[in-house]
Amino acid sequence: MTFVVLGPILRYADDTSATVWLELDEPCAVEVLGHRAETFQVGGHHYALVAVRGLEPGSSTPYEVRVEGAVVWPPAGDTHPASRIRTVPRGADARLLFGSCRFGPTEDARRRRSLGPDALESCARRLMDLPERDWPDSMLFLGDQVYADQTPPQVRREIGARRDLTEPPGQEVADFEEYTALYRYGWSDPLVRWLLSTVPSMMIFDDHDVRDDWNTSLEWRTAMAEQPWWRERLLGGLVAYWVYQHVGNLSPDQLDADPTYRAVRAAGREGDALPVLREFAAASDTELRAQDGTRRRYKDVRWSYRRELGALRIVVLDTRAGRILEGGSRAMVSDTDFAWLREQLEEDGPADTARHVVLASSLPWLLPHAVHHLQSWNEAACAGGRWPKLAERIRQVGDLEHWAAFRASFDRLAELLRAAADRPGTASVSVLSGDVHHSYVAEAGFDPAPRSRVVQVTCSPLHNATPAHLTAPLRVAWSRALAALFRGLARRAGVPPLPLSWSKSAGPYFGNMVGLLRTDGEQAVVALQRADEDGGLSTVRRSQLSR
């Protein structure tokens, strides 16, 4: 009998359609609610993405997964509630869970204690105790869904069975095959597996999905390219991301039109689509290195995407792979992608409904003030200071590679967000981020003030640790005195004045957290919820996002 290796994971869902992703142990035809999909093969592994169409808006439909008429999900004796597909009518109120940085289950008892309770598992427990009408409508994972450079013992055993762990890259993931083990162990926990089968999910990568500091700078890229194992790691990471995360971000109609998905399906029916995806991964990495004159050689490469969820317009932005690092200019995203972002923010939504705009960026746009000025100073020092090599070393050691370290892009994004907040019909503008292993809320201040508020909400981690020696500095980084010190340093390095101000309204909070954004007509509220040692969730702060 066919065995479900991983999943089902409910990925895309709108008002009338959905997709269900699975990994299986053999080629087969998979059926969900009468809709069928043939598996495709990548690297000897078998995957299916079932598109379900014709659902009723506002409906809730339990589903099973069948192969050859036999039920393969839920497994026999399963006691979790039935997996189900729920649809949100256009313009309706919506609930969105979000967070980042989840280190999966580990057999290492000491590591488990340092990680603390898993906020994703806590979410699953809470949902099973709540009436369905109070469940979130979707989940947004903001990066570091897996840690390719920090493998747990059970993954290391599989790696050690196929190669010598004393040779580079050692205990880190080396290729696509090893990534499959990382995802399998990370998403197989029964509670998390049920949650992923029932609540639709959106995903975007950050550095640890490939490697710490991925694309921090041109110097970093150059040094990594010299490592003999790096290219295989990079291609394996991008192929795995496409298979396990990116393809599920697309709607059924987008999948039908996507040339890469069509090529994978065609190659993977009888043979193996790994060569197709390796070519795609190599092209995506190459074409994202230089500015527009050479950038769009491979035109279907865009990891960013947009989703409509009730009254929410969610624009998920790639701030990691799409960086411009060559050609004498630095940018978090290219001119082409800034133009795409503007289109997504400006396009009209449904008539007579309040629209709440969400920009999802794995890296926070608004940081603690002192950290922001330090990063902007460092960018200037790397480009033209007296000791550029020392400044580059500081950049890599200190992870100084957020929006503030791409200052021209920071200013450009500020203008786009201000314009979005000033559009009639926009009730709120939120930037949701993770990465930094603490959580906070900060509001942007523009002169003149736009119609709607612009608020940064950072929620991190879902399941990881913040080093104890960093908690005090992260609190102090919001202080006016320290901000003034680093602002002066940045100005002496030639960094221009900021085009806006911002103030912290909540946090910083530490511990494993998940955010919940909820709309109610023209109102939007976010709650930051901390995972408790008893397996529950406690709300540490609610903040208004709309006026």
Side-chain angles (χ1 to χ4, degrees), residues 247-406:
V247 72
N249 294 327
L250 306 180
S251 72
D253 290 344
Q254 289 171 325
L255 289 169
D256 289 344
D258 187 78
T260 304
Y261 184 64
R262 292 203 307 267
V264 167
R265 292 290 305 276
R269 287 190 184 99
E270 300 297 334
D272 198 299
L274 183 58
V276 173
L277 286 176
R278 283 176 61 87
E279 180 182 357
F280 173 85
S284 70
D285 180 62
T286 300
E287 65 92 30
L288 292 173
R289 293 176 65 185
Q291 195 52 285
D292 286 339
T294 59
R295 185 182 184 278
R296 284 294 161 195
R297 295 194 303 272
Y298 205 89
K299 295 184 182 299
D300 61 347
V301 178
R302 175 172 283 123
W303 301 112
S304 303
Y305 58 96
R306 190 184 95 191
R307 293 278 287 271
E308 303 287 334
L309 180 69
L312 291 173
R313 168 163 296 174
I314 305 167
V315 182
V316 183
L317 191 61
D318 162 27
T319 55
R320 185 60 66 175
R323 296 177 175 189
I324 305 303
L325 302 172
E326 296 184 359
S329 63
R330 281 169 49 85
M332 185 67 85
V333 300
S334 72
D335 290 343
T336 302
D337 280 346
F338 264 121
W340 175 86
L341 176 59
R342 182 186 297 274
E343 292 174 3
Q344 310 315 306
L345 296 176
E346 291 182 350
E347 184 177 316
D348 291 335
D352 302 323
T353 62
R355 185 180 67 170
H356 299 272
V357 175
V358 171
L359 175 66
S361 164
S362 64
L363 301 172
W365 172 54
L366 301 179
L367 291 165
H369 298 98
V371 177
H372 172 95
H373 294 303
L374 174 62
Q375 295 206 19
S376 294
W377 162 80
N378 179 260
E379 181 185 33
C382 288
R386 295 178 61 186
W387 299 289
K389 290 185 179 180
L390 175 60
E392 177 63 33
R393 177 62 178 163
I394 293 172
R395 168 156 55 192
Q396 294 188 29
V397 171
D399 290 335
L400 307 183
E401 38 97 29
H402 296 73
W403 283 94
F406 293 81

Side-chain angles (χ1 to χ4, degrees), residues 186-205:
W187 291 353
S188 291
D189 173 86
L191 276 172
V192 170
R193 195 171 185 179
W194 172 79
L195 181 70
L196 293 174
S197 75
T198 299
V199 180
S201 54
M202 296 168 268
M203 303 181 186
I204 192 67
F205 46 39

Side-chain angles (χ1 to χ4, degrees), residues 147-187:
Y147 281 74
D149 46 6
Q150 300 175 31
T151 54
Q154 58 269 39
V155 174
R156 291 200 295 270
R157 281 198 300 272
E158 288 201 20
I159 295 174
R162 61 192 303 266
R163 63 176 173 87
D164 185 353
L165 295 183
T166 65
E167 297 293 331
Q171 296 180 352
E172 298 184 21
V173 168
D175 56 19
F176 174 75
E177 179 62 30
E178 294 177 8
Y179 265 103
T180 67
L182 195 62
Y183 279 101
R184 185 171 69 253
Y185 284 108
W187 291 353

